[in-house]
Amino acid sequence: MGHLSVVSPPNTIELKNWHLDGRDITESEKRIKHLHGLFKDEESYNKLHPETLVYSVQAHHPVPEGTPGGLFFGTTIVQPGRVGTEYFMTRGHSHLNEERTEYYWGVQGEGILILMNKQRETWGENIFPGSLHFIRGFLAHRVANTGPTQLIFGASWPADAGHNYDDIAREGFSARLMEVSGKPTLVSI
Ligand code: M6P
Ligand code: ZN
């Protein structure tokens, strides 16, 4: 970059599916074998092929993790599927820096953003192409695919938010998203 220069940006987004290209992008995949203990029905979990893909994440990290004022940007694809009657979903997390917020938005497919506050009240927001979700601070968040096709959503979060997976691993959310009478339903645990 130089004074008065006009250059191409280092990154692009494929607007059909929000696939990210360019520099500083990490990719991760979560398969059934990586998600032990996440789903309620262990018998159904054990019947699925361990290599079954559940979700994948691309994240653009233009600054180091923890940089005050920095932003990260990601695209997540959750595959269609269920473990028993529970929909395929992300692990879910809250932020280590608990007041940090985040945007999610729907790109393709249908799903539900599951949110839980510190009082362990859990509720959902429908995700669809064009839906916009502002995730307030102090909320645990996770996304389930409730449709027959891939669910793609975008996300942007502060570089100093951090991921807290331990609380969810220990206590879980207070409700699970299950198919009940053919409909996605939050069921108290
Ligand atoms: C979104 C963002 C990421 C997150 C990803 C998967 O892209 O919130 O920070 O890592 O979803 O969610 P999780 O980390 O809970 O598996
Ligand atoms: Zn987050």
Side-chain angles (χ1 to χ4, degrees), residues 13-82:
I13 303 165
E14 176 55 66
L15 284 178
K16 268 199 330 278
N17 55 13
W18 287 64
H19 185 84
L20 307 179
D21 270 314
R23 66 161 94 124
D24 304 320
I25 291 169
T26 60
E27 319 239 352
S28 72
E29 284 184 342
K30 291 282 180 279
R31 296 178 182 274
I32 279 291
K33 67 180 180 191
H34 300 129
L35 299 174
H36 198 77
L38 187 66
F39 296 96
K40 183 186 166 86
D41 182 347
E42 281 191 20
E43 207 181 307
S44 300
Y45 175 86
N46 289 327
K47 282 188 193 143
L48 288 170
H49 194 286
E51 297 297 334
T52 306
L53 182 62
V54 179
Y55 66 98
S56 47
V57 182
Q58 280 194 302
H60 181 228
H61 295 115
V63 295
E65 177 97 35
T67 304
L71 283 174
F72 293 155
F73 186 98
T75 298
T76 301
I77 305 178
V78 187
Q79 299 299 319
R82 287 188 323 219

Side-chain angles (χ1 to χ4, degrees), residues 30 55 57-58 74-76 90-93 95 102 104 141-142 153-155 157 163 165:
K30 291 282 180 279
Y55 66 98
V57 182
Q58 280 194 302
T75 298
T76 301
T90 60
R91 280 165 78 191
H93 62 270
H95 293 152
E102 183 163 5
Y104 278 7
H141 39 288
R142 125 174 327 156
F153 69 93
W157 64 100
H163 292 80
Y165 294 108

Side-chain angles (χ1 to χ4, degrees), residues 6 20 36 41-44 53 62 65 67 77 81 85 92 95 99-100 106 120 125 134 146 151 160 172 174 178 189:
V6 177
L20 307 179
H36 198 77
D41 182 347
E42 281 191 20
E43 207 181 307
S44 300
L53 182 62
E65 177 97 35
T67 304
I77 305 178
T85 59
H95 293 152
E99 76 273 18
R100 292 295 184 264
R120 296 188 57 75
E125 285 183 9
F134 179 65
T146 56
L151 170 68
D160 62 354
S174 62
M178 320 291 279
I189 51 170

